[in-house]
Amino acid sequence: MKPSANNRIAFIGGGNMARSIIGGLVSSGWPSKNIFVSDPSKEQRNLLEKQFNITIYENNEKCISRANIVVLSVKPQVLKQAVESIRTTLVKNNPLIISIAAGIRTSDIVKWIGQEVPFVRAMPNTPALVNCGVSGLLANAHTNSFHKQSAAQVMQAVGQVIWVDNESDIDTVTGISGSGPAYFFKLMEIMINAAQANGLGGIAARTLVLQTALGAAKLASKSEHLPGELRRQVTSPGGTTEAALLTMEKHGIDETITLGVNAAIEKSAELATTLGAM
């Protein structure tokens, strides 16, 4: 990634996800002098300044005063308050705004600003903390191709990006990739427990399961085949894998996972309505 020399980015909120994106930007060549962060915690500000040699602020408006990209990276419950604290400067400077706050729709944030602005809603996930995330991005009608390229550059600092067309797609992204790591962690947890129940020690069980998960993901990402075909390739008739899968299917694994994903998608839409009405 080669950022524009004119791109100056400000983060409102310096929590884990913001810190991950900042780390990705710095390691990708984004000049530290062009990154600004505001956070109410003195401890957090000092940590960010020491780790990345960036400019930190306690005041939100001062933080964004020179930025042409503003990332809203606070908790959803305090996002309205944060937006209102910088509303005047946002209207005056008209920067690209990227929100990584879960569950808050574009229309609600723009309403809090009080004016249409270039805006991208991003839904990252926790593997961004190890630069292996994926983010769904949604742009509003005031976002041009340069804005979209800039937003993609920012989020690609911590993983891959996909663009979606409407807010309901972001709910789906939330249910698939936003919540998705927990689904895989649950499967890992179950497999580790099963390994230990069948006599393996904790370290051996954890190593086998985590490396199998990592290897399967890498294989699937590099293969020309879809996961379903890869599954068929390792499922020999009458073999151990077939026995496992037939048992899982008998007990409703497909339906269970589908219902779980759908529940997450529905909850995302419900939370967006609730949080937007704050």
Side-chain angles (χ1 to χ4, degrees):
M1 180 181 65
K2 295 182 179 180
S4 166
N6 296 322
N7 272 344
R8 299 174 304 279
I9 186 167
F11 290 79
I12 304 301
N16 288 337
M17 192 62 71
R19 189 164 69 247
S20 298
I21 295 172
I22 292 166
L25 291 172
V26 171
S27 65
S28 299
W30 200 292
S32 296
K33 66 179 182 179
N34 288 352
I35 302 175
F36 322 118
V37 184
S38 64
D39 194 277
S41 166
K42 183 178 180 180
E43 180 181 0
Q44 189 74 354
R45 294 196 303 270
N46 291 341
L47 174 65
L48 289 164
E49 183 179 34
K50 181 178 180 181
Q51 185 174 2
F52 300 116
N53 192 31
I54 57 178
T55 305
I56 56 149
Y57 295 90
E58 184 176 1
N59 181 276
N60 289 342
E61 277 204 292
K62 289 182 179 179
C63 179
I64 71 166
S65 61
R66 295 186 293 127
N68 63 328
I69 301 175
V70 174
V71 180
L72 304 175
S73 48
V74 299
K75 294 184 182 300
Q77 293 81 0
V78 299
L79 181 59
K80 183 179 181 181
Q81 178 183 353
V83 168
E84 290 177 342
S85 75
I86 58 176
R87 178 167 52 196
T88 301
T89 305
L90 290 177
V91 171
K92 177 183 176 182
N93 294 353
N94 197 41
L96 166 66
I97 301 172
I98 302 171
S99 172
I100 62 172
I104 308 287
R105 294 189 178 115
T106 301
S107 58
D108 291 313
I109 299 176
V110 171
K111 179 180 65 177
W112 298 337
I113 296 169
Q115 178 176 301
E116 292 290 348
V117 291
F119 189 96
V120 171
R121 182 181 174 191
M123 182 64 222
N125 62 1
T126 54
L129 300 175
V130 290
N131 288 346
C132 199
V134 62
S135 301
L137 305 182
L138 172 68
N140 71 355
H142 292 263
T143 304
N144 61 32
S145 59
F146 176 77
H147 292 138
K148 292 183 69 174
Q149 181 183 22
S150 297
Q153 282 186 333
V154 172
M155 300 312 299
Q156 282 169 345
V158 290
Q160 298 186 40
V161 302
I162 64 162
W163 287 96
V164 298
D165 297 323
N166 53 61
E167 297 279 353
S168 64
D169 290 336
I170 289 290
D171 292 328
T172 303
V173 170
T174 301
I176 296 294
S177 60
S179 300
Y183 313 155
F184 290 102
F185 295 150
K186 180 64 174 177
L187 179 58
M188 293 176 198
E189 178 186 6
I190 293 169
M191 291 177 66
I192 289 170
N193 290 340
Q196 290 181 282
N198 281 277
L200 287 182
I203 295 176
R206 185 174 185 272
T207 300
L208 285 171
V209 171
L210 268 59
Q211 188 59 36
T212 299
L214 177 64
K218 282 189 173 182
L219 179 60
S221 67
K222 293 180 181 298
S223 176
E224 61 182 14
H225 300 297
L226 294 174
E229 176 58 27
L230 294 176
R231 172 182 55 79
R232 285 186 286 272
Q233 289 177 7
V234 297
T235 307
S236 302
T240 58
T241 307
E242 183 185 61
L245 291 174
L246 287 174
T247 300
M248 292 177 187
E249 290 165 0
K250 179 181 177 181
H251 287 81
I253 185 173
D254 292 38
E255 182 181 12
T256 297
I257 292 176
T258 300
L259 288 172
V261 170
N262 289 342
I265 294 169
E266 291 168 7
K267 188 66 175 181
S268 176
E270 176 187 324
L271 288 173
T273 299
T274 302
L275 294 170
M278 291 188 305

